[in-house]
Amino acid sequence: MTMTPEDATRFAANLDRLVGAVEEVLLGKNRIVRLAFTALLSEGHLLLEDVPGTGKTSLARAMAQSVSGTSNRVQFTPDLLPSDITGVTVYDQRSGRFDFHPGPVFASIVLADEINRASPKTQSALLEVMEEGQVTVDGQTHPVGHPFMVIATQNPIEQAGTYRLPEAQLDRFLMRSSIGYPDHASTIRILEGADQRAHEHVVEPQLDPAEIAEMAALARTVYVDPTIHDYVSRLVEATRTAREVRLGVSVRGALALIRTAKSHAAGRGRHYVVPDDVKALAEPVLAHRLILDAEAEFDGVTASNLIAQVLIETPPPSSRQAG
């Protein structure tokens, strides 16, 4: 089945409703809100590298409210245990059986704050449920439900006492981005509403979980021309052969770019992917999957700059070819 133009129009209208609702809380951040919903509708997870106080918790809470879901925040610390995230089985003396007490990962949107402050073992517990959509405790499997999305954060400035996320774990995140500080006009609007605490902002539900699941399934049916597959393949191959790169984008990264391009196209009211969809998402989807050569890093080369250079040097298919 392939998405129809009517389906694409309906998809875009629903996405606009969701983005508009969340933007009432996260002022002036249309791009990151759209990216977050693109990740959700592509059934992936988002890594935010940002300084404190930019609205990460507000984003997670507002997204959950807009889809009639739940949200939980987990502050990662060195003493956090895997069971503190996934849940634990407790023996009930009255019933004579073990009961499962679900952890905070059982929510629609889970904010994993400063994920790199927990031990690798605890990080792995979260990344396992991200991949499988379920947790296994004492041999029993417990699905976390749908929709399910993890928004993990890292502070790019303060790295003391942190555990660096291994490349294989970074590869599990569909996208990486940052919220950043609001512009001048948005800051003034925020200050004008300073008498209202962040947790007091309530976003009206726009869709229910079943409708989100339907949108995610619909996004998978967006048409991708063979020339677009060829374009994405050439892009990731270029990252592997660049002299500044020690490890290029994996096949998982190429698949992620196609998945997100489909959701991006549908969000723009199109039932087919064009090269601009790929270009728009190449940096947030691919940059965190690169390992740069130490000498290139010393010279100031960044993964984002390298992706931008690869996009310039890799010619896209013409509109006639991609259509």
Side-chain angles (χ1 to χ4, degrees):
M1 186 182 94
T2 304
M3 178 184 279
T4 65
E6 294 75 22
D7 289 335
T9 300
R10 189 172 72 253
F11 186 105
N14 284 336
L15 180 58
D16 287 342
R17 285 171 56 194
L18 293 169
V19 172
V22 174
E23 269 197 292
E24 291 297 316
V25 173
L26 209 66
L27 300 174
K29 294 298 177 182
N30 180 273
R31 179 179 177 274
I32 186 61
V33 173
R34 280 194 171 271
L35 275 181
F37 275 113
T38 298
L40 175 66
L41 296 171
S42 302
E43 299 177 300
H45 309 282
L46 177 65
L47 177 64
L48 294 176
E49 287 196 345
D50 235 327
V51 295
T54 53
K56 299 179 290 291
T57 304
S58 297
L59 172 64
R61 185 185 297 113
M63 285 183 66
Q65 291 174 346
S66 71
V67 300
S68 306
T70 56
S71 66
N72 281 328
R73 175 183 175 275
V74 183
Q75 179 64 53
F76 277 59
T77 55
D79 60 347
L80 192 72
L81 299 175
S83 58
D84 294 330
I85 297 173
T86 59
V88 65
T89 300
V90 178
Y91 181 70
D92 188 335
Q93 290 185 330
R94 288 177 297 179
S95 64
R97 65 184 183 188
F98 287 92
D99 293 330
F100 176 65
H101 291 234
V105 78
F106 286 84
S108 306
I109 309 290
V110 178
L111 179 67
D113 216 356
E114 295 190 293
I115 186 175
N116 54 334
R117 291 204 175 276
S119 68
K121 185 176 182 179
T122 303
Q123 291 176 12
S124 297
L126 177 66
L127 293 164
E128 180 183 5
V129 67
M130 287 166 56
E131 185 71 13
E132 304 294 335
Q134 61 186 27
V135 298
T136 302
V137 178
D138 295 333
Q140 295 293 317
T141 300
H142 308 275
V144 294
H146 295 283
F148 173 66
M149 178 185 179
V150 171
I151 300 177
T153 74
Q154 290 190 120
N155 184 339
I157 305 301
E158 179 55 65
Q159 295 296 319
T162 64
Y163 298 85
R164 185 172 178 269
L165 284 179
E167 284 70 28
Q169 293 184 0
L170 280 172
D171 204 26
R172 302 285 177 176
F173 284 95
L174 191 66
M175 296 186 199
R176 182 188 67 179
S177 189
S178 64
I179 297 177
Y181 293 120
D183 58 27
H184 180 71
S186 297
T187 301
I188 291 176
R189 289 181 60 193
I190 293 169
L191 294 176
E192 288 172 345
D195 57 332
Q196 187 175 18
R197 301 290 296 273
H199 66 271
E200 294 174 345
H201 289 279
V202 177
V203 174
E204 291 297 322
Q206 304 298 313
L207 300 173
D208 60 41
E211 290 172 307
I212 294 297
E214 181 186 346
M215 287 180 70
L218 201 56
R220 293 196 293 268
T221 67
V222 172
Y223 174 72
V224 183
D225 193 82
T227 58
I228 298 294
H229 288 142
D230 175 73
Y231 180 45
V232 170
S233 179
R234 287 187 287 116
L235 283 174
V236 298
E237 286 168 5
T239 68
R240 299 168 190 162
T241 57
R243 60 181 179 83
E244 301 93 343
V245 175
R246 187 154 53 91
L247 182 67
V249 175
S250 66
V251 175
R252 183 185 287 116
L255 289 169
L257 188 52
I258 290 293
R259 282 167 53 198
T260 52
K262 287 183 175 185
S263 298
H264 187 271
R268 294 296 188 272
R270 278 184 279 100
H271 62 288
Y272 55 89
V273 173
V274 298
D276 282 348
D277 296 317
V278 175
K279 292 178 181 179
L281 295 169
E283 193 275 333
V285 173
L286 302 182
H288 65 287
R289 304 172 194 271
L290 298 178
I291 301 178
L292 298 181
D293 182 83
E295 187 174 339
E297 286 188 304
F298 182 77
D299 291 337
V301 177
T302 66
S304 296
N305 292 342
L306 194 138
I307 293 296
Q309 187 63 33
V310 165
L311 286 171
I312 293 172
E313 296 175 352
T314 307
S318 66
S319 57
R320 182 178 300 176
Q321 288 176 312

